[in-house]
Amino acid sequence: MNDTNYRNQLKNQIKDAYGKVTYTYTAHHKLADRLENKNRRVKNMQIALSAFSSCGFFASIITNKSALAWLSGTFSVLSLFLNI
């Protein structure tokens, strides 16, 4: 095997390895971005459900309506399931 042929094979092998590493790196970043977006949505839902359940309980105390207590209890249970 001559030196030129060996160098070309080595160059092709390096290019192939670089392509695989670049693909894996890009795929991991895309996955991390998707997971970050999902985490952001879950956190926002937790905040909203906690706010609704707290406001509902305070409103049920002030207005003395049982429907608000049931509604805020439902939001509280949903928040619990999301947190678990």
Side-chain angles (χ1 to χ4, degrees), residues 8-63:
N8 283 337
Q9 286 180 351
L10 185 60
K11 185 178 178 181
N12 288 336
Q13 186 179 2
I14 291 171
K15 282 182 181 180
D16 186 46
Y18 175 76
K20 289 178 181 179
V21 168
T22 304
Y23 174 80
T24 303
Y25 180 77
T26 304
H28 284 160
H29 272 283
K30 287 183 178 183
L31 178 62
D33 289 341
R34 285 194 299 266
L35 289 174
E36 185 178 342
N37 288 336
K38 182 179 178 182
N39 187 39
R40 191 178 307 120
R41 284 192 306 267
V42 168
K43 293 294 180 186
N44 286 338
M45 283 298 297
Q46 286 174 333
I47 291 169
L49 288 173
S50 295
F52 288 146
S53 63
S54 298
C55 290
F57 280 124
F58 288 134
S60 68
I61 290 171
I62 293 171
T63 61

